[in-house]
Amino acid sequence: MTYEFITVNPQAQKFVTLIQLNRPGELNALNRQLMTELSSALRELDADEQVRVIVLTGNEKAFAAGADIKEMADATAIDMVNRDQFATWDLIRKTKKPIIAAVSGFVLGGGCELMMNCDLIVASETARIGQPEIKIGVMPGAGGTQRLTRSVGKALAMEMVLTGRFITAEEALRAGLVNRVVPVEFYLKEALMWAQEIAQLSPVAVKLAKEAVLQAFNTSLDEGLLLERKNFYLCFASEDQKEGMKAFVEKRKPEFTGK
Ligand code: DAK
């Protein structure tokens, strides 16, 4: 499939696909077409055995400056209901393979929410992260009050959501919102290197582990532990578990196939 607002490099590295948001003139504002393209690309990649890890990036100036304000400005509440943008956001959220966000510059509103949908986040030192919706008379609508609060805690989430203040990459790192901060010339390289490292592991175990960690946000401890246990047992149905443990015993590097 060809896309207008994203570019997809299916084999940026072996088993690693790079998706780049590509509306630079609008600071990668997330219009509906871009989100539809992104969700369909992710669905395809999730089903492709040659892909084990996905890296999602923008450009140095902006990961994404939020949902497209111009597209929303005249909408009524019923237009918003009928557009049902959550359908595409839900598809993104349901991606089973790990997604690493490589962010730089503006990471705002829906851009911050999209970043928080990713599993690991590498930020450039120049990243400015915020939920500025309050300044345009609305509030976060795609997880900014929930995921952000779970991630950084009430104090900082309230401050960001109620004032719209942008935080620096360093602040985001201290608050636990991003995993790593590196100089701007390295943020994408770092994310790709990390992707390559995870792509060497068992894709079955990686997927099951991602599912289990995310479940921690949705369930009680007992239910979460139950899912963890079942996924742990399920690993033993894979050839990768046999290979991984055998390789350890034989003191060699394992070759995982995802079977
Ligand atoms: N939407 C549309 N266009 C945008 C944009 C945006 N969010 N952000 C920037 N642009 C456009 C600008 O209009 C400008 O276009 P031209 O005027 O050149 O045609 C171009 O990008 C460059 O921007 P600036 O000239 O403003 O650049 P500056 O460096 O001066 O300022 C800035 C950069 C990032 C501080 C500024 O552009 C800015 O404040 N942008 C808006 C940030 C913002 O408020 N973001 C939150 C948007 S609301 C939902 C899902 C998601 C959401 C809601 C619901 N559902 C699933 C239902 C999310 C909502 C939001 O994100």
Side-chain angles (χ1 to χ4, degrees), residues 104-153:
S104 178
F106 296 113
V107 187
L108 305 177
C112 180
E113 293 169 320
L114 180 59
M115 176 189 83
M116 290 190 288
N117 264 289
C118 298
D119 305 302
L120 295 163
I121 300 163
V122 178
S124 111
E125 283 170 350
T126 62
R128 294 293 173 268
I129 302 171
Q131 296 285 166
E133 292 90 337
I134 205 78
K135 292 184 173 170
I136 53 169
V138 289
M139 58 174 277
T145 64
Q146 301 303 302
R147 279 202 191 91
L148 185 66
T149 308
R150 281 168 166 77
S151 178
V152 305

Side-chain angles (χ1 to χ4, degrees), residues 23-27 29-30 61 65-72 80 84-86 89 106 108-111 113 131-133 135-136 138-142 166:
R23 282 190 87 200
E26 288 79 18
L27 302 179
L30 307 168
K61 199 164 171 204
D68 191 322
I69 299 171
K70 293 164 194 165
E71 200 177 57
M72 289 187 292
M80 294 303 280
D84 191 19
Q85 284 165 269
F86 287 107
W89 284 79
F106 296 113
L108 305 177
E113 293 169 320
Q131 296 285 166
E133 292 90 337
K135 292 184 173 170
I136 53 169
V138 289
M139 58 174 277
F166 301 168

